[in-house]
Amino acid sequence: MDEDEKNRIHKHKMEKRKEFQDELVKNNNKTKELLIVYTGTGKGKSTAAFGTVLRSLGHGYKVGIVQFIKGAWQTGEQSALSKFDNLVTYEVTGEGFTWNTQDRERDIAKACNAWEIAEKMLADDSYKLVLLDELNIVLRYDYLPLNKVLSVLEKRKMHTIVTGRNAKPELLEIADLVTEMKMVKHPFREQGIKAQQGIEF
Amino acid sequence: MDEDEKNRIHKHKMEKRKEFQDELVKNNNKTKELLIVYTGTGKGKSTAAFGTVLRSLGHGYKVGIVQFIKGAWQTGEQSALSKFDNLVTYEVTGEGFTWNTQDRERDIAKACNAWEIAEKMLADDSYKLVLLDELNIVLRYDYLPLNKVLSVLEKRKMHTIVTGRNAKPELLEIADLVTEMKMVKHPFREQGIKAQQGIEF
């Protein structure tokens, strides 16, 4: 097949594709406050959430963030967020990963405290986006009553993102958009490479 | 099992986990300029890349971005990036998705032009991170010679992120970190919901 032939076939295929895309866009005309879940064992869950937060801030929207596990975000994120001080409410309530604290009762108390803050945000429609970072971890360990969390999420008034591995099936059930970040290759485990500034924190 | 028993078992489990984590961190002491690929059909690929860009900018690192498909990032991203004007070089070279242009020759010319810019960035070690957004799309249509792209990527001097569906197996082969964003639930297709400002653009 020569180049002209390739070009002609490409044009035909793309015309059909455009018809399909246009139809899709025409039919998809509803708006909805989305519940978005990023889960799975791969990298990029909190990073995609952070990217969405910055996108919203870029539009001048008010964003609330509750971090259920301290330490997931560090100086890089905080410095970027500080450029939007007037728009972002950022609460870090947890105390690090559970293997660092090793204290279940204290972890539960912190999770409840974080959830109280989250609940207030989720009821305040001045926020256009609320991020509940690593909420899945806390739910996985049953540190919060799942039914209560789900019922608050169902009543929320804004786009909401939940991150963390091992999302509960009941959460996926009520979510609008779910992406599983699947680990295909990971330099930590396989190559002995440490977490590097600017990439992982 | 009562709460005391649960707390005791938890503590024991987390002590073991901490030993494992500490060992992992101790053994993982290498640094490397990572080649990161975000692929798959799920949402969050470019968003996770954008999140990593903002994290790096937050550290004061210089970042280069080449967008191989125009339109993937819009006002939200651009406004966030503009807060770091002195650190970020942002080149948009493509002309929209291939079903919009419908012109294969023109798409190829644009891809080559974008790649020239990318190649210069990848040779300039003042950049700490280079993002090649939607490069996978261009490679998938064979608009660029794969071997040439791979050899430049192997010689690059900084962390590099490549996004887009249908990543070539040869690219995954040389990558350090690969996450497949797997679509579990998507509101466009299933619920007739349109792309919304602050979430998707």
Side-chain angles (χ1 to χ4, degrees), chain A residues 47-197:
Chain A
T47 312
F50 174 64
T52 312
V53 163
L54 264 298
R55 179 183 288 151
S56 274
L57 293 172
H59 282 295
Y61 294 155
K62 201 175 144 190
V63 178
I65 303 168
V66 179
Q67 255 193 309
F68 285 80
I69 305 282
K70 189 179 153 185
W73 291 11
Q74 299 185 23
T75 47
E77 282 86 347
Q78 277 158 25
S79 150
L81 291 176
S82 72
K83 305 263 179 182
F84 299 91
D85 258 349
N86 55 328
L87 292 173
V88 70
T89 312
Y90 176 40
E91 303 273 357
V92 186
T93 47
E95 277 199 299
F97 289 96
T98 45
W99 61 82
N100 282 322
T101 66
Q102 300 181 7
D103 184 334
R104 184 172 167 272
E105 285 201 323
R106 200 171 163 137
D107 285 352
I108 292 176
K110 292 280 174 185
C112 292
N113 179 237
W115 180 249
E116 262 177 48
I117 297 169
E119 222 181 316
K120 280 197 196 97
M121 280 183 185
L122 292 166
D124 175 356
D125 62 8
S126 71
Y127 291 105
K128 284 279 251 179
L129 173 67
V130 169
L131 166 58
L132 307 173
D133 195 51
E134 303 288 9
L135 174 63
N136 287 335
I137 309 285
V138 167
L139 291 176
R140 178 202 182 179
Y141 284 106
D142 297 316
Y143 286 174
L144 291 172
L146 180 62
N147 284 341
K148 203 188 154 189
V149 169
L150 294 179
S151 93
V152 171
L153 286 175
E154 288 196 301
K155 277 181 291 196
R156 93 218 120 73
K157 301 181 185 299
M158 69 291 291
H159 298 300
T160 301
I161 306 178
V162 174
T163 71
R165 337 180 142 196
N166 301 102
K168 293 269 184 184
E170 296 88 339
L171 176 67
L172 301 187
E173 192 59 44
I174 66 161
D176 300 294
L177 172 58
V178 179
T179 302
E180 181 199 339
M181 271 64 168
K182 221 179 117 187
M183 193 203 296
V184 179
K185 244 186 181 181
H186 190 314
F188 272 73
R189 301 288 163 106
E190 294 164 23
Q191 303 173 31
I193 295 167
K194 68 176 180 179
Q196 294 173 89
Q197 182 160 306

Side-chain angles (χ1 to χ4, degrees), chain B residues 13-192:
Chain B
K13 219 153 87 182
M14 291 305 135
E15 278 166 4
K16 290 277 162 217
R17 176 74 185 272
K18 183 158 167 44
E19 276 172 35
F20 172 78
Q21 290 289 341
D22 288 349
E23 194 64 17
L24 201 68
V25 169
K26 208 181 78 190
N27 293 335
N28 292 344
N29 48 18
K30 287 189 274 181
T31 61
K32 188 183 178 187
E33 272 53 62
L34 300 176
L35 178 58
I36 299 169
V37 178
Y38 289 127
T39 191
T41 55
K43 305 291 284 181
K45 298 181 290 293
S46 289
T47 313
F50 174 64
T52 312
V53 163
L54 264 298
R55 180 182 290 151
S56 274
L57 293 172
H59 281 294
Y61 294 155
K62 202 176 143 190
V63 177
I65 303 168
V66 180
Q67 256 194 308
F68 285 81
I69 305 282
K70 187 178 154 186
W73 291 12
Q74 299 185 22
T75 48
E77 283 85 346
Q78 277 158 25
S79 149
L81 291 176
S82 72
K83 304 262 179 184
F84 299 90
D85 257 350
N86 55 328
L87 290 173
V88 70
T89 312
Y90 176 39
E91 302 273 357
V92 186
T93 47
E95 277 199 299
F97 288 96
T98 45
W99 61 83
N100 281 322
T101 65
Q102 301 181 5
D103 184 335
R104 185 172 167 272
E105 284 200 324
R106 202 173 160 132
D107 285 353
I108 292 176
K110 292 279 174 186
C112 291
N113 177 237
W115 181 249
E116 262 177 49
I117 296 169
E119 223 181 315
K120 281 198 196 96
M121 280 182 186
L122 292 165
D124 175 355
D125 63 7
S126 71
Y127 292 105
K128 284 279 252 182
L129 173 66
V130 169
L131 165 58
L132 307 172
D133 194 51
E134 304 287 7
L135 174 63
N136 287 335
I137 309 284
V138 168
L139 292 176
R140 179 202 181 178
Y141 285 106
D142 297 316
Y143 287 174
L144 291 173
L146 181 62
N147 284 340
K148 204 190 152 188
V149 169
L150 294 179
S151 95
V152 170
L153 287 174
E154 289 197 301
K155 278 180 292 194
R156 94 219 120 72
K157 300 180 184 300
M158 68 292 290
H159 299 301
T160 301
I161 306 178
V162 174
T163 71
R165 337 180 142 195
N166 301 101
K168 294 269 185 184
E170 295 89 339
L171 176 68
L172 300 186
E173 193 58 44
I174 66 162
D176 301 294
L177 172 58
V178 179
T179 302
E180 181 198 341
M181 272 63 170
K182 221 180 118 186
M183 193 204 296
V184 180
K185 243 187 183 182
H186 191 313
F188 272 73
R189 301 288 162 106
E190 294 164 22
Q191 303 172 31

